[in-house]
Every structure is written in structure tokens, then in C-alpha cells.
Amino acid sequence: MTAPGGSNGGIRPQEAVERALAAARCDGCVVIADETSSANLRWAGNTLTTDGVSRSRQLTVVAISRDGKDARAGVVSRAGVRADQIEDVVREAEREAGQGSPAEDAQPLLEPGDEVASGASAAWDGPVTSTGIGVFRSFSTALGEAFGAAAAAGQRLYGFAQHRETSTFLGTSTGLRLRHDQPAGQVDMNAKSADLARSAWAGQGTRDFADVDVGALVADLTRRLEWARRRVELPAGRYETLLPPAAVADLLIYLYWSAGAKDALDGRTVFSQPGGGTRVGERLSGLPLTLRSDPSPAAAPALRCAPFVIAHASTRRSSVFDNGLGLQPTDWISGGELAALAQTRHSAGLSGLPVTPMIGNLVLDGRGSASLDEMVGRTGHGLLLTCLWYIREVDPQTLLLTGLTRDGTYLVENGEVTAAVNNFRFNESPVGMLARVTEAGVTGPALSREWGDYFTRTAMPPLRVDGFNMSSMSQAS
Amino acid sequence: MAGKAIDPGFTAYPLRELAAAALQRAADLGAARADFRAERIREQQISLSDGSLETLFDGDDLGLAVRVVVDGTWGFASAVDLTQAAALRAAAEAVEVAKVAAAINAEPIELADEPAYGDVSWLSAYETDPFEVSVADKVALLAGWSSGLLGHDRIDHVDASLHQVRECKFYADGATTALQQRVRLHPQVTAVAVEPGGRFETMRTLAPPAGRGLEYLGGGAWAGPGAWDFPAELAQLPELLAGKLAAPGVRPGRYDLVIDPSNLWLVIHESIGHATELDRALGYEAAYAGTTFATPDKCGSLQYGSPPMHVTGDRTAEHGLATVGYDDEGVAAQSWDLIAGGVLTGYQLDRRMARMQGLGRSNGCAFADSPGHMPIQRMANVSLRPAEGGPSTQELIAGVEDGIYILGDKSWSIDMQRYNFQFTGQRFYQISRGRLAGQLRDVAYQATTTDFWNAMEAVGGPQTYLLGGAFNCGKGQPSQVAPVSHGCPSVLMRGVRILNTAEEGA
């Protein structure tokens, strides 16, 4: 669907950016206009619970006031700004810039000709594409049929489907005009036996729902519910554990978010070098694992993300001064060694490392070719997980994380899944775990259970981990 | 109080006209029921790193939402422009959503009755609207706190932040029209020490987020009642951090615990607050946030905890983060029992669930975090009642031979049915023969909810009571956040499992 200009309060986002830049009197200005539309369906126990569509429009103005080497930045972001309110937003940002203290991440704004994104972004002038409830028309029909079949088979289906389109227009007083259109979608599907004792989950990221096969998702869950017909109790302890791609994504997305260069330089993360500096260059895994992000249009469609920095606020891992900076394919871990940390230009200057900002996708590749089923077939005695849940940091020194196994924890004996077991609370560090990975399978699309609402673009292999620390039993089923 | 009025920038919109147009359009298109919401949420985040400005972000969210029931199915749509055209379009879109969603709906939506309140307004209890004070003054305060701490040679880094929110909401359903505004603040300071060998520790202020204005920060132009004593708390941080660095690691095992309210509020949140949400019990969150072990068949019989345990849900506590005048279904704020004498007695409800379960009136827990989201059942302030004339924290500690006193929240995690949890804290003191005997480090405690609360031997008196809380309780898909407070006294627990987190990560 294409939204008519009238839906934008009478002004196109491109024009809002130009007007804001024209109104600016400060020493530098960045303007970001975001147009977002989304649609969602949620269900439980074979029936709808909530639904909805929404549209939003956000104008963010970064006003920069320079005084010698110092720069102060005021950031004001407002929803639903009308044409006649644009100048007010700019003035407010300029006022805040005047009131703040010098920004520690101050840098010159990028200009055309600097290392900025070029032809990679969408055409600036084109219309904004929006989504609506219609994106689910065939999906909801298939889902309704699946509810009927599930009820007949003594199953209950729970889950969520969401689709979102965001168009981001970035302009600077130095002449940059960059646009990125990002479709993003996800499906979570959870099947339970009628007595709720058995539960299985599958998730999928999608750009447009054309590739979502409800029947295939439900068939996979039915197979897992069958595995759980036999159930055994296992005590806490360290187990050889097979992590499917979703569970690998659960752990490695958190590792990625924890890989900020500035915190590492400050001596306060697992990636800090004792005595100063960072652990870049240090071996983390004996396997040739590569953890990378690829913002190029050559990335698989499901992974495509913004090819330039879009920063609505400065934080420890992002800087409003870097807006528009072109992103390059980046190895965070290369051949098992820590290769890069998430940088701003400011932190790169402090660390003497390349400028490698965060990117909106994440891929782990271990050069493996085995499927998860094949890895199960080669397992003598171990656990097979489905996904992890309620993951929280316990100790930043080692990046110790805790959390639970969820919706299908299975016992593997002599190459076969023989039973479902109780869930566990784990205490594990994804960094420490990399040293105990003994096998990586083939990399494929993965949706993190824990972080899939925020980070949908991941591809991971299944991993075999030695001595995964299951700290205690959970009664949850 | 000057300046204490609902944001004129919000009330300037033709809210009543928009509501009337949207509700009429929904009815014309076949909606059996409709409600209208408009919101403006102002937010400002200021963060300093080692005294330098790291984040200065001033944002808002604005929009309207229409929720309908068409042929027994929910429909919901929202728009960003507060205009007649957008309101009419949202009403039509909501009806369209209900028609598409009908393909997967098997349970007709009906809502519990609620009295009509007419045209009402409500303002939370605060003195100084943080958005009426200049950024410069707030940055200067945080910078002063930071430089004071950075002057200590034991402190290597200081993070100081202030998160401020002002939420304006307008609701209309034809029976009730409610205009509301509330303000909240979350100030935090963390000191970091890094040893030459690479080991590092942190110590954070215990000041909870509060439904208060800038007077909460104390001093200056915004002096007023209810200030937290930041000077005193900041003055203690260097020594507390040094003590933690020098502390021995805890020996794993079972210990008696005295838990300070600055730590216990989060256990209440996770193991009682979420476990007594009826939408979880009914499975609406089964694929995401999870369900609960405290199912309705156990209401009235489940021995949740020991007899001194009395837990209430409320949307009325002054300065509570979940406190409102009316919820997002026009239900007036209430207070009710969830656990009495240790026995499960109640749930948190919205109007749909109250009707479906035959529970009479809703207790007012429907809430949407933004105009773009449909209301779902969200947590009330869930609080543990202190014992009248009960012991002080010191007296609770005196009753422990070999144990640990825990203050401040840090890490938390609980399973999807709210059985198995693990928490850490800001600081831990060894208790030996009834007295504190220095700090311990690397402490985590693990328990199963009902084991834990049944191990509660004593509840402190009102003098130990503190209203803790969080801005960021997450639930629902699409994901929504909600602010919520939890009041509690200090408590004494017997025989809780303690882990050493350094050993867990080895």
C-alpha cells in the first residue's frame, strides 16, 4: 500500500527534512524523519487475543553548537509534527544544545565524499510504502484453518505475527540526503498439548509474510510435541548440549550488544584487557567461528538492513555525530579470534581501532555443513534445546548470563531424541561458551526467542557445546 | 501549586470532538462498542559518563487510538495526527482489522460493567514538573554528583543519569471521559572501580524511581517535600565500593537472609506481581511472557507464603508508578488483596477477563504504553504489607546466626511459570551471630517462588517500608513497557540457596 501525502499531516518526510534544515541557525544540523506503519495479530488457545494497526511519524532534530573544539548537541524528537511546527522543533533542539555541556562524542558532521553510504540506500524521492492488516489476509486464513486442525488434534496454538515498514530519511546541513526502507516481520508459533504439559515453539523472521508457511511451522511443532510424549527428569549439572539456531541467536545477540568498544576501554566488560585496552586479537574459540554483520545489499534478503548509521541519540555505542556514516561488512569474531568491537568515531579514536559501528544484522558461521538432525544423529548422550528465555546478565566481568530453557528441552541418546526433560535455569557466558563449542552445523535463518521482537535479522548454525552449565531445575513446562 | 496543570500543549487539541467523531464513525460501521484514546508522552533522558554529557535526548510520542468490538471480535487502529480525518480513518481501520481478525476469533468479546463517571480529570502527586526546568540545571546537578565521586581515588568511572516522563492521556467511551496526567523520574548513579589486575566492581544508588517531580532530587530551585537524600547516599558510595572490592567471595550453601526492600521489591514484582496476572493464568501470554503456577483453581487455597504474608494490588498509592485515576478502559482506581495470610486470594483484571471469569467488576489493570498499542492487562502496584509494630531491620538481623543481608537490585531472572528465580543485588553483608560482619561478593540467590515465600519467618515494621519499582516492566506482543511500584518492608527468610556467581561462570 502507498500512503497518500495527506496521511503525513500534509507534508512529505523529504520536505520535512528540507524545511527543518532550512530553519536551522546552529553550526550543524542532522534531521531524521521516520515514517512507520505496522500491523499485528496475536492468538492464544486457538483464538485471537489482540490485534491492531498503527502509523507513526517522528521528526528528530540534532542541533549542534560549536565552540572551538567543543560541540554541544541538543536532540529533540517529536511525533506527528505538522508543517507549521517544524521550526519550533528546530528551535527547541538549538535551545537544548545551548544548555547542554560539551558532548564527549563530538566529531565533524560527515559530508558527501566522506565515507558515507552512497548508492546503497533507497531513492530519496520515492513515495513511502506502508503496511496494513491486509498483509495477513492469506496468513490469517491459514491460521484459522490451523486452529481448527489443532483443536481437532487436541492441540492449542499460541503466538504472534507482526509486520512493520519503516522509512527513514536522513539529511544533514553538510549536504547528506540518505534514505533507508526497512520491512521487518516475525512470527512466533507455540503449540501445547491440551493438558498444557507439553509445549513446543518455532519462530521465523520475514520481510513480507510471503515466505511464511503456517502448515510447515505447525508440522514442526507437532513433531516436537510427539518427542515429548515420554518425559524424564534430569538433575542440574553440566551437559553436552545441542543449541539450535534460535538458542544460539539468544546468546550471541547479547554478546554483540555487550561488545561496545568504549566500555571495553573503560575496563568494565568481558572484552577489556586487564591493565588497559581491549581483547581484540585474542582467541575466543578453537573452532574457526566467524561472527559478522553485513549491511551490503548483497546480503540475503532476510538480513538486509540499513547501510549507514542512523542514530537518534548518542549512547555508549552510538553517536549522533556519526549519522550517515557508511557501514561496511564487519567481522566481530574472525576465525575464532575477537576481531572488532562496536565503535563510534569517538571510541575508535580512543581505541586506535577501525571505525566499526553496530549493524542491524548478525551472522555466525562455523564453516559447518551438518543439519541439526545430523548433529543429533551423532550424539551419544546430551541435551537438545529449543530456545532460551529470560536472559539477564549476572556478572559483566565474564559476561555470565542466566536464563531458562523453554518450550522443548530433550534428551538425546544414541543418536535419537528419546524424551523431553524438565527445563533448567542455566548460568553460562556466551564468551566462555565459545571456547567449549566442539561443532558448528550449517548456518541458516534464526529468530531469537528472547530478543526476536527487537532483532529479527539473524542467521546462526546449530552448535554443540561441551559442559553447558544447567544450574538448577525449573518446574515450568 | 504553580505549573501543576495538565500540559496545555495536549489539552489544546480538540480531544472531545475527535472522540465523538471516532466513536460515531465506529458505531456507523457496525461496532457494538468502541473507545477512544489520545496520548502525549514526553520523555527526556540525560546521561553523563565520567561527568561528560553522553546522552541528551528529548522525545515525545503523540497519537490517537480507536478500539472496537465488531461481531464479537476486537479491532484496533491508531494514528499519529490528532485531526478529525485521522480519527475517522482510525475508526474505519479498527473495524477493518476486526473483520480480518474474525477469521481467527472463537470467543466473543464482552466487557464487565463499570459505572459511568462522566467528565473527570486526574493529576498525579508531584511538585515540580521536570519539563518546566532547564536542561542546564539538570545536567549541572548530575555533573556535580559525578565530579564529587570522581574525586575519590578508588573510583575510576561514574555513570549518572536522569530519566523523566510526563504522560498525558485522554480516554472516552461514551460513559466516561477521563483526562489525566502523571509525572515520574528515575535518577541513577553508578560508581565503577577497576583494579590493575582487571577485576572490576560497581556500586549503584538505591534511590528508586518514583511518581514524583523534580523535588525528588532535592535541593536547589526545586526543593520540596519527598526528596531522597542523595548527598548522604552519594557520600557512602566510595567506601561501599571499596568494601565490595576487598570482600571475600561467598561460600555457596543455604543461608538465612535479611532482605532490604531495595532488593525485595523486584522479587515481589517477578514472583507475585506477574504470577497474579489473570491474563497469564488464562494463557494470553503463554507464547511470550509466559503463564503462572498460581492458576485460578488454586485461588483461596494455595499457600503462597507464610502467614505474615499479606500482599495488595493497588492503583492508588501516592507516588506509585502504576497509580492512575482511571485505567485505559475507564475503570476507576482501586486497591484489593492478592494474598492474605499467605493464601492466594485475588488477581489483576481487565474488563474482558472480569466478565469472562464471572468476577464482577474489573479492578482497573488495563493499560497501553502508547497510543500505538492496544491496552492489555498490566501490573498494578503490588506491595507486601509491613507488620504493625513489627521489627526494625536491625532487629531482624539480630535474629540470624549465620546469614546474609542483601540490599539493592541488580540481576534478575524467573521462569515462564514463575517458579524458579535467581536474583543478585548491589551489596551483601555477612551476618554472624546477629551482627553484620563485612561485605561479601559474587552472591546470587535461587529459589522456587512458594518455597521462598513460605520460608519468610518475619516481616519488618512500617519503619522499614520503601516503595521501590521500575519504569521498564515488559510484557505483551507487540512489546509494551509499563512503570510499576512495589512497596515492602525488610523481611527475614530462612534457608535460601546461595550461589557464587564467579564459580558459576568459571
Side-chain angles (χ1 to χ4, degrees), chain A residues 42-412:
Chain A
R42 197 179 195 204
W43 56 95
N46 300 333
T47 186
L48 173 80
T49 54
T50 57
D51 55 22
V53 293
S54 75
R55 288 167 199 276
S56 190
R57 184 175 82 248
Q58 197 83 21
L59 186 70
T60 303
V61 175
V62 182
I64 296 163
S65 150
R66 295 192 187 273
D67 178 12
K69 276 192 168 180
D70 285 343
R72 297 157 197 264
V75 184
V76 170
S77 184
R78 294 283 178 264
V81 176
R82 299 188 308 261
D84 62 310
Q85 296 171 318
I86 290 174
E87 186 173 349
D88 294 343
V89 177
V90 175
R91 293 289 161 265
E92 215 175 328
E94 289 172 342
R95 200 160 48 242
E96 294 210 347
Q99 290 183 3
S101 52
E104 61 162 17
D105 56 333
Q107 297 281 324
L109 288 182
L110 291 152
E111 298 180 12
D114 290 340
E115 287 183 27
V116 298
S118 50
S121 56
W124 177 264
D125 282 324
V128 171
T129 304
S130 65
T131 190
I133 199 72
V135 74
F136 298 129
R137 224 170 272 283
S138 62
F139 172 80
S140 64
T141 303
L143 190 59
E145 288 165 10
F147 288 172
Q155 282 179 14
R156 296 163 72 83
L157 295 177
Y158 302 79
F160 176 64
Q162 172 166 249
H163 191 243
R164 178 185 289 263
E165 294 270 6
T166 305
S167 290
T168 300
F169 298 83
L170 169 69
T172 66
S173 55
T174 47
L176 295 188
R177 298 292 183 275
L178 296 167
R179 171 180 178 175
H180 178 64
D181 292 341
Q182 183 71 64
Q186 71 177 104
V187 188
D188 278 292
M189 188 77 84
N190 173 213
K192 295 181 193 295
S193 58
D195 63 359
L196 307 182
R198 292 175 289 141
S199 185
W201 172 86
Q204 181 183 338
T206 177
R207 282 170 74 88
D208 55 14
F209 275 79
D211 57 348
V212 176
D213 182 342
V214 172
L217 283 171
V218 173
D220 177 42
L221 298 181
T222 300
R223 175 190 182 215
R224 290 163 180 277
L225 289 181
E226 286 303 310
W227 283 349
R229 283 199 181 274
R230 178 170 172 251
R231 185 185 154 93
V232 298
E233 297 270 303
L234 284 184
R238 287 186 178 266
Y239 289 91
E240 178 177 319
T241 300
L242 295 172
L243 301 168
V248 175
D250 286 330
L251 292 172
L252 289 190
I253 290 171
Y254 199 91
L255 180 153
Y256 179 45
W257 286 342
S258 305
K262 182 158 186 293
D263 281 331
L265 282 174
D266 281 351
R268 48 197 293 196
T269 78
V270 67
F271 298 117
S272 303
Q273 183 73 40
T278 75
R279 291 175 65 189
V280 167
E282 194 174 308
R283 176 156 294 280
L284 301 179
S285 176
L287 291 190
L289 298 175
T290 295
L291 183 69
R292 65 170 189 267
S293 298
D294 184 359
S296 70
L303 296 173
R304 272 177 215 155
C305 63
F308 56 89
V309 169
I310 302 168
H312 295 83
S314 286
T315 66
R316 298 210 151 229
R317 292 183 309 238
S318 69
S319 169
V320 291
F321 292 91
D322 292 351
N323 269 304
L325 181 63
L327 298 170
Q328 305 300 326
T330 303
D331 284 359
W332 309 105
I333 297 172
S334 181
E337 288 182 4
L338 183 64
L341 296 170
Q343 302 273 8
T344 61
R345 284 185 292 163
H346 169 65
S347 70
L350 297 175
S351 64
L353 293 168
V355 184
T356 48
M358 293 200 91
I359 294 167
N361 63 28
L362 193 65
V363 176
L364 182 71
D365 190 343
R367 299 189 202 160
S369 58
S371 69
L372 183 57
D373 281 352
E374 287 166 345
M375 289 169 70
V376 167
R378 291 200 293 268
T379 302
H381 186 272
L383 297 177
L384 168 64
L385 309 185
T386 295
C387 57
L388 302 174
W389 184 246
Y390 222 123
I391 300 169
R392 293 294 181 275
E393 186 173 306
V394 178
D395 185 359
Q397 186 97 49
T398 55
L399 201 62
L400 181 71
L401 306 179
T402 193
L404 284 303
T405 65
R406 181 170 185 183
D407 293 325
T409 306
Y410 307 101
L411 175 63
V412 180

Side-chain angles (χ1 to χ4, degrees), chain B residues 64-143:
Chain B
L64 60 83
V66 181
R67 185 179 70 159
V68 299
V69 178
V70 179
D71 296 331
T73 297
W74 284 128
F76 175 85
S78 78
V80 68
D81 294 303
L82 298 193
T83 62
Q84 181 100 353
L88 293 172
R89 177 172 162 170
E93 281 186 332
V95 170
E96 177 65 16
V97 168
K99 288 179 176 169
V100 171
I104 60 168
N105 190 38
E107 291 175 355
I109 303 297
E110 293 178 10
L111 301 190
D113 292 337
E114 177 70 11
Y117 299 100
D119 203 327
V120 290
S121 70
W122 180 88
L123 197 60
S124 71
Y126 64 89
E127 297 289 323
T128 301
D129 182 341
F131 295 92
E132 302 289 327
V133 173
S134 82
V135 166
D137 290 350
K138 292 180 274 197
V139 171
L141 181 73
L142 296 180

